[in-house]
Amino acid sequence: MFADISFPISSFKIFTYLVPKQLEGLITRGICVNAPIGNNIKTGFVISISKTSNYLGKTKCINSIHNPKIKIPEELMQTIIWTSQYYLSPLGKVLKT
């Protein structure tokens, strides 16, 4: 299982991570997770989940759930994605705002 994660950085990229077996039932769209980006562990939000990945490089694993109580509701997630596309702003920056 793979998760696409957006981080609060000035980049239009969404990063793909492998979901560890122990977190498979807990990772859902909108949940706040900790994952490695570069040499650091950053907090980001899961944008989507899929069984396969189109990414051909090495895929890192999600470290943990940041806080299970922090979850963006589906309606708000759709609004955030729309806002990012409409205003041509990185999704992570809109999430941060």
Side-chain angles (χ1 to χ4, degrees):
M1 179 188 264
F2 296 91
D4 292 331
I5 300 175
S6 181
F7 296 96
I9 58 175
S10 295
S11 174
F12 285 94
K13 290 184 180 181
I14 294 176
F15 300 89
T16 302
Y17 287 85
L18 186 62
V19 177
K21 293 285 184 194
Q22 66 269 21
L23 296 178
E24 276 191 8
L26 303 173
I27 300 291
T28 58
R29 182 176 174 169
I31 198 157
C32 187
V33 296
N34 296 319
I37 183 166
N39 293 329
N40 300 315
I41 303 296
K42 298 277 187 184
T43 301
F45 286 91
V46 175
I47 303 303
S48 65
I49 297 173
S50 61
K51 294 199 183 277
T52 60
S53 172
N54 293 332
Y55 182 67
L56 301 175
K58 182 180 177 190
T59 307
K60 297 179 181 180
C61 287
I62 294 172
N63 283 21
S64 62
I65 295 175
H66 182 71
N67 184 342
K69 294 181 182 179
I70 300 175
K71 184 175 187 241
I72 298 173
E74 183 59 32
E75 292 172 349
L76 181 56
M77 181 62 79
Q78 291 174 2
T79 303
I80 289 168
I81 292 170
W82 177 86
T83 303
S84 171
Q85 293 170 348
Y86 185 81
Y87 290 105
L88 301 173
S89 179
L91 185 57
K93 287 295 188 179
V94 177
L95 281 164
K96 184 178 180 179
T97 302

Coordinates of all heavy atoms in Angstrom, one line a residue:
M1 N 0.8 -1.2 0.0 CA 0.0 0.0 0.0 C 0.9 1.2 0.0 O 1.9 1.3 0.7 CB -0.9 0.0 1.2 CG -1.8 1.2 1.3 SD -2.7 1.2 2.9 CE -4.2 0.5 2.4
F2 N 0.5 2.2 -0.8 CA 1.3 3.5 -0.9 C 0.4 4.7 -0.5 O -0.8 4.7 -0.7 CB 1.8 3.6 -2.4 CG 2.7 2.6 -2.8 CD1 2.3 1.4 -3.4 CD2 4.1 2.7 -2.6 CE1 3.2 0.4 -3.7 CE2 5.0 1.7 -2.9 CZ 4.5 0.6 -3.5
A3 N 1.1 5.7 0.0 CA 0.4 6.9 0.3 C 1.1 8.1 -0.3 O 2.3 8.2 -0.3 CB 0.3 7.1 1.8
D4 N 0.3 9.0 -0.9 CA 0.9 10.3 -1.4 C 0.8 11.3 -0.3 O -0.3 11.5 0.2 CB 0.1 10.7 -2.7 CG 0.4 9.8 -3.8 OD1 1.5 9.2 -3.9 OD2 -0.5 9.7 -4.7
I5 N 1.9 12.0 0.0 CA 1.9 12.9 1.1 C 2.4 14.3 0.6 O 3.3 14.4 -0.2 CB 2.9 12.4 2.2 CG1 2.4 11.0 2.7 CG2 3.0 13.4 3.3 CD1 3.3 10.4 3.7
S6 N 1.7 15.3 1.1 CA 2.1 16.7 0.9 C 2.7 17.3 2.2 O 2.1 17.1 3.2 CB 0.9 17.5 0.4 OG 1.3 18.8 0.1
F7 N 3.8 18.0 2.0 CA 4.5 18.6 3.1 C 4.4 20.1 3.0 O 4.2 20.6 1.9 CB 6.0 18.2 3.2 CG 6.2 16.8 3.4 CD1 6.4 15.9 2.3 CD2 6.2 16.3 4.7 CE1 6.7 14.6 2.6 CE2 6.5 14.9 4.9 CZ 6.7 14.1 3.8
P8 N 4.4 20.9 4.1 CA 4.3 22.3 4.1 C 5.6 23.0 3.6 O 6.3 23.7 4.3 CB 4.0 22.7 5.5 CG 4.6 21.6 6.3 CD 4.5 20.4 5.5
I9 N 5.9 22.7 2.3 CA 7.1 23.3 1.7 C 6.7 24.0 0.4 O 5.6 23.8 -0.1 CB 8.2 22.2 1.4 CG1 7.6 21.1 0.5 CG2 8.7 21.6 2.7 CD1 8.6 20.1 0.1
S10 N 7.6 24.9 -0.1 CA 7.3 25.6 -1.3 C 7.6 24.7 -2.6 O 8.5 25.1 -3.3 CB 8.0 26.9 -1.4 OG 7.6 27.7 -0.4
S11 N 6.9 23.6 -2.7 CA 7.1 22.7 -3.8 C 5.8 22.2 -4.3 O 4.9 21.9 -3.4 CB 8.0 21.6 -3.4 OG 8.1 20.6 -4.5
F12 N 5.6 22.0 -5.6 CA 4.4 21.5 -6.1 C 4.4 20.0 -6.1 O 3.4 19.3 -6.5 CB 4.2 22.0 -7.5 CG 3.7 23.4 -7.6 CD1 4.6 24.4 -7.7 CD2 2.4 23.7 -7.4 CE1 4.2 25.8 -7.7 CE2 1.9 25.1 -7.5 CZ 2.9 26.1 -7.6
K13 N 5.5 19.4 -5.6 CA 5.6 17.9 -5.6 C 4.8 17.3 -4.4 O 4.7 17.8 -3.4 CB 7.1 17.5 -5.4 CG 7.9 17.8 -6.6 CD 9.3 17.2 -6.4 CE 10.2 17.5 -7.6 NZ 11.5 17.0 -7.4
I14 N 4.2 16.1 -4.8 CA 3.6 15.3 -3.7 C 4.5 14.0 -3.7 O 4.8 13.5 -4.8 CB 2.1 15.0 -4.1 CG1 1.3 16.3 -4.0 CG2 1.6 13.9 -3.2 CD1 -0.1 16.1 -4.5
F15 N 4.8 13.6 -2.5 CA 5.8 12.5 -2.4 C 5.0 11.2 -2.1 O 4.1 11.2 -1.3 CB 6.8 12.8 -1.3 CG 7.6 14.1 -1.6 CD1 7.1 15.3 -1.2 CD2 8.8 14.0 -2.2 CE1 7.8 16.5 -1.4 CE2 9.5 15.2 -2.5 CZ 9.0 16.4 -2.1
T16 N 5.5 10.1 -2.7 CA 5.0 8.8 -2.5 C 5.8 8.0 -1.4 O 7.0 7.9 -1.5 CB 4.9 8.0 -3.8 OG1 4.2 8.7 -4.8 CG2 4.3 6.6 -3.6
Y17 N 5.1 7.4 -0.5 CA 5.7 6.6 0.6 C 5.0 5.3 0.7 O 3.8 5.1 0.4 CB 5.6 7.4 1.9 CG 6.5 8.6 2.0 CD1 6.1 9.8 1.5 CD2 7.7 8.4 2.6 CE1 6.9 10.9 1.6 CE2 8.6 9.5 2.6 CZ 8.2 10.7 2.1 OH 9.0 11.8 2.2
L18 N 5.8 4.3 1.2 CA 5.2 3.0 1.5 C 4.6 3.0 2.8 O 5.2 3.6 3.8 CB 6.4 2.0 1.4 CG 6.0 0.5 1.5 CD1 5.1 0.1 0.4 CD2 7.3 -0.3 1.5
V19 N 3.4 2.4 3.0 CA 2.7 2.4 4.3 C 3.2 1.1 4.9 O 3.0 0.0 4.4 CB 1.2 2.4 4.1 CG1 0.5 2.2 5.5 CG2 0.8 3.7 3.4
P20 N 3.8 1.1 6.1 CA 4.2 -0.1 6.8 C 3.0 -0.9 7.2 O 1.9 -0.4 7.4 CB 4.9 0.4 8.1 CG 5.1 1.9 7.9 CD 4.2 2.3 6.9
K21 N 3.2 -2.2 7.3 CA 2.1 -3.2 7.6 C 1.4 -2.8 8.9 O 0.2 -2.9 8.9 CB 2.7 -4.6 7.7 CG 3.2 -5.2 6.5 CD 2.1 -5.6 5.6 CE 2.7 -6.3 4.3 NZ 1.7 -6.4 3.3
Q22 N 2.1 -2.4 9.9 CA 1.5 -2.1 11.2 C 0.6 -0.8 11.1 O -0.2 -0.6 12.0 CB 2.5 -1.9 12.3 CG 3.5 -0.8 12.2 CD 4.8 -1.1 11.5 OE1 4.8 -2.0 10.7 NE2 5.8 -0.3 11.7
L23 N 0.8 0.0 10.1 CA -0.1 1.2 9.9 C -1.1 1.1 8.9 O -1.9 2.1 8.7 CB 0.9 2.4 9.7 CG 1.9 2.8 10.7 CD1 2.7 4.0 10.3 CD2 1.2 3.2 12.0
E24 N -1.2 0.0 8.2 CA -2.1 -0.1 7.0 C -3.6 0.2 7.3 O -4.2 0.9 6.6 CB -2.0 -1.5 6.4 CG -0.8 -1.6 5.4 CD -0.8 -2.8 4.6 OE1 -1.8 -3.6 4.6 OE2 0.2 -3.0 3.9
G25 N -4.1 -0.2 8.4 CA -5.5 0.0 8.7 C -5.7 1.4 9.3 O -6.8 1.9 9.4
L26 N -4.6 2.1 9.7 CA -4.8 3.4 10.4 C -4.5 4.6 9.4 O -5.0 5.7 9.8 CB -3.7 3.5 11.5 CG -3.8 2.3 12.5 CD1 -2.7 2.4 13.5 CD2 -5.1 2.4 13.3
I27 N -3.8 4.4 8.3 CA -3.5 5.5 7.4 C -4.7 5.7 6.5 O -5.2 4.8 5.8 CB -2.3 5.2 6.6 CG1 -1.1 5.0 7.5 CG2 -2.0 6.3 5.6 CD1 -0.6 6.2 8.2
T28 N -5.3 6.9 6.5 CA -6.4 7.3 5.7 C -6.1 8.7 5.1 O -5.2 9.4 5.6 CB -7.7 7.4 6.5 OG1 -7.6 8.3 7.6 CG2 -8.1 6.0 7.0
R29 N -6.9 9.1 4.1 CA -6.7 10.4 3.5 C -7.0 11.5 4.5 O -8.0 11.4 5.2 CB -7.7 10.5 2.3 CG -7.6 11.8 1.6 CD -8.5 11.8 0.4 NE -8.4 13.2 -0.2 CZ -8.9 13.5 -1.3 NH1 -9.5 12.6 -2.1 NH2 -8.8 14.7 -1.8
G30 N -6.1 12.4 4.6 CA -6.3 13.6 5.5 C -5.6 13.4 6.8 O -5.5 14.4 7.6
I31 N -5.0 12.3 7.1 CA -4.4 12.1 8.4 C -3.0 12.7 8.4 O -2.3 12.7 7.4 CB -4.3 10.6 8.8 CG1 -4.1 10.4 10.3 CG2 -3.3 9.8 8.0 CD1 -4.6 9.1 10.9
C32 N -2.5 13.1 9.5 CA -1.2 13.8 9.7 C -0.2 12.7 10.1 O -0.4 12.0 11.0 CB -1.3 14.8 10.8 SG 0.1 15.8 11.0
V33 N 0.9 12.6 9.3 CA 1.9 11.6 9.5 C 3.3 12.2 9.5 O 3.5 13.3 9.1 CB 1.9 10.5 8.4 CG1 0.6 9.8 8.4 CG2 2.1 11.1 7.0
N34 N 4.2 11.4 10.1 CA 5.7 11.8 10.1 C 6.3 10.9 9.0 O 6.2 9.7 9.0 CB 6.3 11.5 11.4 CG 5.7 12.4 12.5 OD1 5.4 13.6 12.3 ND2 5.4 11.8 13.7
A35 N 7.1 11.5 8.1 CA 7.8 10.8 7.1 C 9.1 11.4 6.8 O 9.3 12.6 7.0 CB 6.9 10.7 5.9
P36 N 10.1 10.6 6.3 CA 11.4 11.2 6.0 C 11.4 12.0 4.7 O 10.8 11.5 3.7 CB 12.3 10.0 5.9 CG 11.4 8.9 5.5 CD 10.1 9.2 6.2
I37 N 11.9 13.2 4.7 CA 12.1 14.0 3.5 C 13.5 14.5 3.6 O 13.8 15.3 4.5 CB 11.0 15.0 3.3 CG1 11.2 15.8 2.0 CG2 10.9 16.0 4.5 CD1 10.0 16.6 1.6
G38 N 14.4 14.2 2.7 CA 15.8 14.5 2.8 C 16.4 13.8 3.9 O 16.2 12.6 4.1
N39 N 17.1 14.4 4.8 CA 17.7 13.8 6.0 C 16.9 14.1 7.2 O 17.4 13.8 8.3 CB 19.1 14.3 6.2 CG 20.1 13.9 5.1 OD1 19.9 12.8 4.5 ND2 21.0 14.7 4.7
N40 N 15.7 14.6 7.1 CA 14.9 15.0 8.3 C 13.6 14.2 8.2 O 13.1 13.7 7.2 CB 14.6 16.5 8.2 CG 15.8 17.3 8.3 OD1 16.7 17.1 9.1 ND2 15.9 18.4 7.5
I41 N 12.9 14.2 9.4 CA 11.6 13.7 9.5 C 10.6 14.9 9.6 O 10.8 15.8 10.4 CB 11.4 12.8 10.8 CG1 12.4 11.7 10.8 CG2 10.0 12.3 10.9 CD1 12.2 10.7 9.7
K42 N 9.7 15.0 8.6 CA 8.8 16.1 8.6 C 7.4 15.6 8.7 O 7.0 14.4 8.5 CB 8.9 16.8 7.2 CG 10.2 17.4 6.9 CD 10.3 18.7 7.6 CE 11.6 19.4 7.1 NZ 11.9 20.6 7.8
T43 N 6.5 16.5 9.1 CA 5.1 16.2 9.3 C 4.4 16.6 8.0 O 4.6 17.7 7.5 CB 4.5 17.0 10.5 OG1 5.2 16.6 11.6 CG2 3.0 16.7 10.7
G44 N 3.5 15.8 7.5 CA 2.8 16.0 6.3 C 1.4 15.4 6.4 O 1.1 14.7 7.3
F45 N 0.6 15.6 5.3 CA -0.8 15.1 5.3 C -0.9 14.1 4.1 O -0.4 14.4 3.0 CB -1.8 16.2 5.2 CG -2.0 17.0 6.5 CD1 -1.2 18.1 6.7 CD2 -2.9 16.5 7.4 CE1 -1.4 18.8 7.9 CE2 -3.1 17.2 8.6 CZ -2.3 18.3 8.9
V46 N -1.6 13.0 4.4 CA -1.9 12.0 3.3 C -2.9 12.6 2.4 O -4.0 13.0 2.8 CB -2.4 10.7 3.9 CG1 -2.7 9.7 2.8 CG2 -1.3 10.1 4.8
I47 N -2.6 12.7 1.1 CA -3.5 13.2 0.1 C -4.3 12.1 -0.6 O -5.5 12.2 -0.9 CB -2.7 14.0 -1.0 CG1 -1.9 15.1 -0.4 CG2 -3.6 14.5 -2.1 CD1 -2.7 16.1 0.4
S48 N -3.6 10.9 -0.8 CA -4.3 9.8 -1.4 C -3.6 8.5 -1.0 O -2.5 8.5 -0.6 CB -4.4 9.9 -2.9 OG -3.1 9.9 -3.5
I49 N -4.3 7.4 -1.2 CA -3.8 6.1 -0.9 C -4.1 5.2 -2.1 O -5.2 5.3 -2.7 CB -4.5 5.5 0.4 CG1 -4.2 6.4 1.6 CG2 -4.0 4.1 0.6 CD1 -4.9 6.0 2.8
S50 N -3.1 4.3 -2.4 CA -3.3 3.4 -3.5 C -2.6 2.1 -3.3 O -1.7 2.0 -2.4 CB -2.8 4.0 -4.8 OG -1.4 4.3 -4.8
K51 N -3.0 1.1 -4.0 CA -2.3 -0.2 -3.9 C -1.0 -0.3 -4.6 O -0.2 -1.1 -4.3 CB -3.3 -1.3 -4.3 CG -4.5 -1.4 -3.4 CD -5.2 -2.8 -3.5 CE -6.4 -2.8 -2.7 NZ -6.1 -3.2 -1.3
T52 N -0.9 0.5 -5.7 CA 0.3 0.5 -6.5 C 0.8 1.9 -6.6 O 0.2 2.9 -6.3 CB 0.0 0.0 -7.9 OG1 -1.0 0.8 -8.5 CG2 -0.5 -1.5 -7.9
S53 N 2.1 2.0 -7.1 CA 2.7 3.3 -7.3 C 3.3 3.4 -8.7 O 3.9 2.4 -9.2 CB 3.8 3.5 -6.2 OG 4.6 4.6 -6.5
N54 N 3.3 4.6 -9.3 CA 3.9 4.8 -10.6 C 5.3 5.3 -10.4 O 6.1 5.3 -11.4 CB 3.1 5.9 -11.3 CG 1.7 5.4 -11.7 OD1 1.5 4.2 -11.9 ND2 0.8 6.3 -11.9
Y55 N 5.7 5.6 -9.2 CA 7.1 6.0 -8.9 C 8.1 4.8 -9.1 O 7.9 3.8 -8.5 CB 7.2 6.6 -7.5 CG 8.5 7.1 -7.1 CD1 9.1 8.2 -7.8 CD2 9.3 6.5 -6.2 CE1 10.3 8.7 -7.5 CE2 10.6 7.0 -5.9 CZ 11.1 8.1 -6.5 OH 12.3 8.6 -6.2
L56 N 9.1 5.0 -9.8 CA 10.0 3.9 -10.1 C 11.3 3.9 -9.2 O 12.0 2.9 -9.2 CB 10.5 4.0 -11.6 CG 9.3 3.9 -12.6 CD1 9.9 4.1 -14.0 CD2 8.6 2.6 -12.5
G57 N 11.5 5.0 -8.5 CA 12.7 5.1 -7.6 C 12.5 4.3 -6.3 O 11.5 3.6 -6.1
K58 N 13.4 4.5 -5.4 CA 13.3 3.9 -4.1 C 12.3 4.6 -3.3 O 12.2 5.8 -3.2 CB 14.7 4.0 -3.4 CG 14.7 3.3 -2.0 CD 16.0 3.4 -1.4 CE 16.0 2.8 0.0 NZ 17.1 3.1 0.8
T59 N 11.4 3.8 -2.7 CA 10.3 4.4 -1.9 C 10.6 4.2 -0.4 O 10.8 3.1 0.1 CB 9.0 3.6 -2.2 OG1 8.7 3.7 -3.6 CG2 7.8 4.3 -1.5
K60 N 10.5 5.3 0.3 CA 10.7 5.3 1.8 C 9.4 5.0 2.5 O 8.3 5.1 1.9 CB 11.3 6.7 2.2 CG 12.6 7.0 1.7 CD 13.1 8.3 2.2 CE 14.5 8.7 1.6 NZ 14.9 10.0 2.1
C61 N 9.5 4.6 3.7 CA 8.3 4.3 4.5 C 7.9 5.4 5.4 O 8.7 6.2 5.9 CB 8.6 3.1 5.4 SG 8.7 1.5 4.6
I62 N 6.6 5.5 5.7 CA 6.1 6.4 6.6 C 6.6 6.0 8.0 O 6.6 4.8 8.3 CB 4.6 6.4 6.6 CG1 4.1 7.0 5.3 CG2 4.0 7.2 7.8 CD1 2.6 6.9 5.1
N63 N 7.1 7.0 8.8 CA 7.6 6.6 10.2 C 6.5 6.3 11.2 O 6.5 5.3 11.9 CB 8.5 7.7 10.7 CG 9.8 7.7 10.0 OD1 10.0 7.1 9.0 ND2 10.8 8.3 10.7
S64 N 5.5 7.3 11.2 CA 4.5 7.1 12.2 C 3.3 8.1 11.9 O 3.5 9.0 11.1 CB 5.0 7.4 13.6 OG 5.5 8.8 13.7
I65 N 2.3 7.9 12.7 CA 1.2 8.9 12.7 C 1.5 10.0 13.6 O 1.9 9.7 14.8 CB -0.2 8.2 13.0 CG1 -0.5 7.2 11.9 CG2 -1.3 9.2 13.2 CD1 -1.7 6.3 12.2
H66 N 1.5 11.2 13.2 CA 1.9 12.3 14.1 C 1.0 12.4 15.3 O 1.4 12.5 16.4 CB 1.9 13.6 13.3 CG 2.3 14.8 14.1 ND1 3.6 15.0 14.5 CD2 1.6 15.9 14.5 CE1 3.7 16.2 15.1 NE2 2.5 16.7 15.2
N67 N -0.3 12.5 15.0 CA -1.3 12.5 16.1 C -2.6 12.0 15.4 O -3.2 12.6 14.5 CB -1.5 14.0 16.5 CG -2.5 14.1 17.7 OD1 -3.3 13.2 18.0 ND2 -2.5 15.2 18.4
P68 N -3.1 10.9 15.9 CA -4.3 10.3 15.3 C -5.6 11.2 15.4 O -6.5 11.0 14.6 CB -4.5 9.0 16.1 CG -3.6 9.0 17.2 CD -2.6 10.1 17.0
K69 N -5.6 12.2 16.3 CA -6.7 13.1 16.4 C -6.7 14.2 15.3 O -7.7 14.8 15.1 CB -6.7 13.7 17.8 CG -7.0 12.7 18.9 CD -7.0 13.3 20.2 CE -7.3 12.3 21.3 NZ -7.3 12.9 22.6
I70 N -5.5 14.4 14.7 CA -5.4 15.4 13.6 C -5.7 14.8 12.3 O -5.0 14.0 11.8 CB -4.0 16.0 13.6 CG1 -3.7 16.7 14.9 CG2 -3.9 17.1 12.5 CD1 -2.3 17.3 15.0
K71 N -6.9 15.1 11.8 CA -7.3 14.6 10.5 C -8.2 15.6 9.8 O -9.1 16.2 10.4 CB -8.1 13.3 10.6 CG -8.5 12.7 9.3 CD -9.2 11.3 9.5 CE -9.3 10.7 8.1 NZ -10.6 10.5 7.7
I72 N -7.8 15.9 8.5 CA -8.6 16.8 7.7 C -9.8 16.1 7.2 O -9.7 15.1 6.5 CB -7.7 17.4 6.6 CG1 -6.5 18.1 7.1 CG2 -8.6 18.3 5.7 CD1 -5.5 18.6 6.1
P73 N -11.0 16.7 7.4 CA -12.3 16.0 6.9 C -12.2 16.1 5.4 O -11.6 16.9 4.7 CB -13.4 16.9 7.4 CG -12.8 17.7 8.6 CD -11.3 17.8 8.3
E74 N -12.9 15.1 4.7 CA -13.0 15.0 3.3 C -13.4 16.3 2.6 O -12.8 16.7 1.6 CB -13.9 13.8 2.9 CG -13.9 13.5 1.4 CD -12.5 13.2 0.8 OE1 -11.7 12.6 1.5 OE2 -12.3 13.6 -0.4
E75 N -14.4 16.9 3.1 CA -14.9 18.2 2.4 C -13.9 19.2 2.4 O -13.7 20.0 1.4 CB -16.2 18.6 3.1 CG -17.4 17.7 2.9 CD -18.6 18.1 3.7 OE1 -18.5 19.0 4.6 OE2 -19.7 17.6 3.5
L76 N -13.2 19.4 3.6 CA -12.1 20.4 3.7 C -10.9 20.0 2.8 O -10.3 20.9 2.1 CB -11.7 20.5 5.1 CG -10.6 21.6 5.4 CD1 -11.0 23.0 4.9 CD2 -10.3 21.6 6.8
M77 N -10.6 18.7 2.7 CA -9.5 18.3 1.8 C -9.8 18.6 0.3 O -9.0 19.1 -0.4 CB -9.3 16.8 1.9 CG -8.2 16.2 1.1 SD -6.6 16.9 1.5 CE -6.2 16.0 2.9
Q78 N -11.1 18.4 -0.1 CA -11.5 18.8 -1.5 C -11.3 20.3 -1.7 O -10.9 20.7 -2.7 CB -12.9 18.3 -1.7 CG -13.0 16.8 -1.8 CD -14.5 16.4 -2.0 OE1 -15.4 17.2 -2.1 NE2 -14.7 15.1 -2.0
T79 N -11.7 21.1 -0.7 CA -11.6 22.5 -0.8 C -10.1 23.0 -0.9 O -9.7 23.9 -1.6 CB -12.2 23.2 0.4 OG1 -13.6 22.8 0.4 CG2 -12.2 24.7 0.3
I80 N -9.2 22.3 -0.1 CA -7.8 22.6 -0.1 C -7.2 22.3 -1.4 O -6.4 23.1 -2.0 CB -7.1 21.9 1.1 CG1 -7.5 22.4 2.4 CG2 -5.6 21.9 0.9 CD1 -7.1 21.6 3.6
I81 N -7.5 21.2 -2.0 CA -7.0 20.8 -3.3 C -7.5 21.8 -4.4 O -6.8 22.2 -5.2 CB -7.4 19.3 -3.7 CG1 -6.6 18.4 -2.7 CG2 -7.1 19.0 -5.1 CD1 -7.1 17.0 -2.8
W82 N -8.8 22.1 -4.3 CA -9.3 23.1 -5.3 C -8.6 24.4 -5.1 O -8.2 25.1 -6.1 CB -10.8 23.3 -5.0 CG -11.4 24.4 -5.9 CD1 -11.9 24.2 -7.2 CD2 -11.6 25.8 -5.6 NE1 -12.3 25.4 -7.7 CE2 -12.1 26.4 -6.8 CE3 -11.3 26.5 -4.5 CZ2 -12.4 27.7 -6.8 CZ3 -11.5 27.9 -4.6 CH2 -12.1 28.5 -5.7
T83 N -8.4 24.9 -3.9 CA -7.7 26.2 -3.7 C -6.3 26.2 -4.3 O -5.9 27.1 -4.9 CB -7.7 26.5 -2.2 OG1 -9.0 26.5 -1.7 CG2 -7.0 27.8 -1.9
S84 N -5.6 25.1 -4.1 CA -4.3 24.9 -4.6 C -4.2 25.0 -6.1 O -3.4 25.7 -6.7 CB -3.7 23.6 -4.1 OG -2.4 23.3 -4.8
Q85 N -5.2 24.4 -6.7 CA -5.2 24.4 -8.2 C -5.7 25.7 -8.7 O -5.1 26.3 -9.7 CB -6.2 23.3 -8.7 CG -5.6 21.9 -8.4 CD -6.7 20.8 -8.7 OE1 -7.9 21.1 -8.9 NE2 -6.2 19.6 -8.7
Y86 N -6.7 26.3 -8.1 CA -7.3 27.6 -8.6 C -6.3 28.7 -8.5 O -6.1 29.5 -9.4 CB -8.5 27.9 -7.8 CG -9.3 29.2 -8.3 CD1 -10.1 29.1 -9.4 CD2 -9.1 30.4 -7.7 CE1 -10.8 30.2 -9.9 CE2 -9.8 31.5 -8.1 CZ -10.6 31.4 -9.2 OH -11.2 32.5 -9.7
Y87 N -5.5 28.8 -7.3 CA -4.6 29.9 -7.1 C -3.2 29.5 -7.5 O -2.2 30.3 -7.2 CB -4.7 30.3 -5.6 CG -5.9 31.0 -5.3 CD1 -6.9 30.4 -4.6 CD2 -6.2 32.3 -5.8 CE1 -8.1 31.0 -4.3 CE2 -7.4 33.0 -5.5 CZ -8.3 32.3 -4.8 OH -9.5 33.0 -4.5
L88 N -3.0 28.4 -8.1 CA -1.6 27.9 -8.5 C -0.6 28.0 -7.4 O 0.5 28.5 -7.6 CB -1.2 28.7 -9.8 CG -2.1 28.6 -11.0 CD1 -1.6 29.6 -12.1 CD2 -2.2 27.2 -11.5
S89 N -1.0 27.5 -6.3 CA -0.2 27.5 -5.1 C 0.1 26.1 -4.7 O -0.7 25.2 -4.8 CB -1.0 28.2 -4.0 OG -0.3 28.3 -2.8
P90 N 1.4 25.9 -4.2 CA 1.7 24.5 -3.7 C 0.7 24.0 -2.7 O 0.3 24.7 -1.8 CB 3.1 24.7 -3.1 CG 3.7 25.9 -3.7 CD 2.5 26.8 -4.0
L91 N 0.3 22.7 -2.8 CA -0.6 22.1 -2.0 C -0.2 22.2 -0.5 O -1.0 22.4 0.4 CB -0.9 20.7 -2.4 CG -2.0 19.9 -1.6 CD1 -3.3 20.6 -1.7 CD2 -2.1 18.5 -2.2
G92 N 1.1 21.9 -0.3 CA 1.6 22.0 1.1 C 1.5 23.3 1.7 O 1.2 23.5 2.9
K93 N 1.6 24.4 1.0 CA 1.5 25.8 1.5 C 0.0 26.0 1.8 O -0.3 26.7 2.8 CB 2.0 26.8 0.5 CG 3.5 26.9 0.4 CD 4.0 27.3 1.7 CE 5.5 27.6 1.6 NZ 6.1 28.0 2.8
V94 N -0.9 25.5 1.0 CA -2.3 25.7 1.3 C -2.7 24.9 2.6 O -3.4 25.4 3.4 CB -3.2 25.3 0.1 CG1 -4.7 25.4 0.5 CG2 -2.9 26.1 -1.1
L95 N -2.2 23.7 2.7 CA -2.4 22.9 3.9 C -1.9 23.6 5.2 O -2.5 23.6 6.2 CB -1.7 21.5 3.8 CG -2.5 20.5 3.0 CD1 -1.5 19.4 2.6 CD2 -3.7 20.0 3.7
K96 N -0.7 24.2 5.0 CA -0.1 24.9 6.2 C -1.0 26.1 6.6 O -1.1 26.4 7.8 CB 1.3 25.4 5.8 CG 2.1 26.0 6.9 CD 3.5 26.4 6.5 CE 4.2 27.1 7.6 NZ 5.6 27.4 7.3
T97 N -1.5 26.8 5.6 CA -2.3 28.0 5.9 C -3.6 27.6 6.6 O -4.0 28.2 7.5 CB -2.7 28.7 4.6 OG1 -1.5 29.1 3.9 CG2 -3.5 30.0 4.8

